[in-house]
Amino acid sequence: MADAAVQDVDVKDASSDTVKDLFAGAVGGIAQVLIGQPFDIVKVRLQTTTQYSSALNAATTIYAQEGPLAFYKGTLTPLLGIGACVSIQFGAFGFAKRYFEAANAARSSSPLPAGLATKATKDLGYGQYYAAGAFAGVANSVLSGPIEHVRIRMQTQPHGAGRLYAGPLDCVRKLGLRGLYRGEAVTVIREAQAYGLWFMAFEWMMNADVARNNIARNDVPAWKVALYGGLAGEALWLGSYPFDVIKSKMQTDGFGAHMKYKSMRDCFAQTWRAEGMRGFWKGLAPTLLRAMPVSAGTFAVVEATMRAIK
């Protein structure tokens, strides 16, 4: 009877923690979009066309030809969707982290053969942090794939009378369900690698600070949380960028007779033949420039929100 009551409390606590993770992630996601959208449109234009000589040239050309609001083209979709995506990322990461903590605690409390000793701990190893982050990325990819596809189509369509889509909903309608999920395989791979590295790097820096200064996690200053979040963002992109390039190429490709890439593998092969290794890193500079403030803002807002609601 008592055991059942304890289990019921544990389930309720876990559910409450998941709701808090989801809410904090949603708030962080909104901050992420508002900070990162101008950088993102420059990145996508550089990845998918050869008309710009550099990130600065792309930014100045977009501003001169399309005006300042062009940097927020297609923002409605990510503003609604990325909030949900980041919510899923932090919710799934928190869920996986608690799963590993429970498994570690159970393992450390198990009796060992005579002569062997173990330190009772539920703390995660960094391989587990990576796995929890990868799980979050895969869970997130179900939403992020189509949302980013629509955003990329909106960002790269011609300006003015040559526009292909009246808005995000028109783009979804014209793409159809199958077209909406184009590039999903490489999206799943990118998300797993990217968020595995993202969460692992952030947790490593936060844990190191806590151990070094002998303080509680909640006592890590906000500016350090932002700094560690920004550096984690750099790790995310440096470890996953070639997959992002392939995803962008596939999601701006034509349909039917106008389709250039038959598959993810074909896109990798054509990019290698046409551009060599350099082709997999086009647009990296503005991406890294964007990653620092965007990831810093995301983790700072999420951590502050979690501290406020716990």
Side-chain angles (χ1 to χ4, degrees), residues 5-23:
V6 170
Q7 287 178 353
D8 187 50
V9 170
D10 288 343
V11 169
K12 288 180 179 178
D13 286 346
S15 298
S16 175
D17 287 341
T18 299
V19 170
K20 290 175 182 177
D21 289 336
L22 291 168
F23 175 73

Side-chain angles (χ1 to χ4, degrees), residues 80-168:
L80 296 174
I82 298 301
C85 285
V86 180
S87 177
I88 289 172
Q89 288 164 19
F90 280 89
F93 178 73
F95 174 84
K97 188 169 74 167
R98 285 187 289 277
Y99 169 82
F100 283 125
E101 286 174 345
N104 290 350
R107 189 182 307 114
S108 65
S109 63
S110 299
L112 291 174
L116 291 179
T118 184
K119 180 183 177 182
T121 179
K122 65 176 185 177
D123 294 343
L124 273 65
Y126 289 102
Q128 290 177 318
Y129 277 122
Y130 177 87
F135 172 76
V138 172
N140 170 61
S141 66
V142 177
L143 272 184
S144 67
I147 288 169
E148 291 191 15
H149 190 182
V150 171
R151 178 171 63 175
I152 286 172
R153 293 282 177 184
M154 296 294 295
Q155 287 175 336
T156 57
Q157 70 172 332
H159 183 61
R163 290 177 64 193
L164 300 173
Y165 312 109

Side-chain angles (χ1 to χ4, degrees), residues 205-236:
M205 286 182 276
M206 287 289 286
N207 291 343
D209 193 295
V210 166
R212 183 170 58 250
N213 296 298
N214 195 28
I215 57 175
R217 183 185 177 105
N218 282 357
D219 294 328
V220 176
W223 70 267
K224 283 189 175 182
V225 174
L227 174 63
Y228 300 152
L231 293 173
E234 303 294 294
L236 180 156

Side-chain angles (χ1 to χ4, degrees), residues 37 41 45 62-63 66-74 155 159:
Q37 186 72 358
I41 192 168
R45 295 285 183 94
I62 292 168
Y63 182 84
E66 304 174 45
L69 292 181
F71 291 103
Y72 282 91
K73 266 186 176 182
Q155 287 175 336
H159 183 61

Side-chain angles (χ1 to χ4, degrees), residues 42-44 46-48 186 190 193-194 197 234-248 268 277-288:
V42 172
K43 179 202 78 169
V44 169
L46 285 168
Q47 286 179 339
T48 58
V186 73
R190 184 202 69 169
Q193 169 72 349
L197 291 172
E234 303 294 294
L236 180 156
W237 284 110
L238 287 170
S240 65
Y241 196 75
F243 297 112
D244 189 67
V245 170
I246 298 304
K247 182 188 76 70
S248 293
F268 270 106
M277 183 61 72
R278 186 179 180 183
F280 295 104
W281 299 97
K282 284 177 68 176
L284 179 63
T287 301
L288 293 179

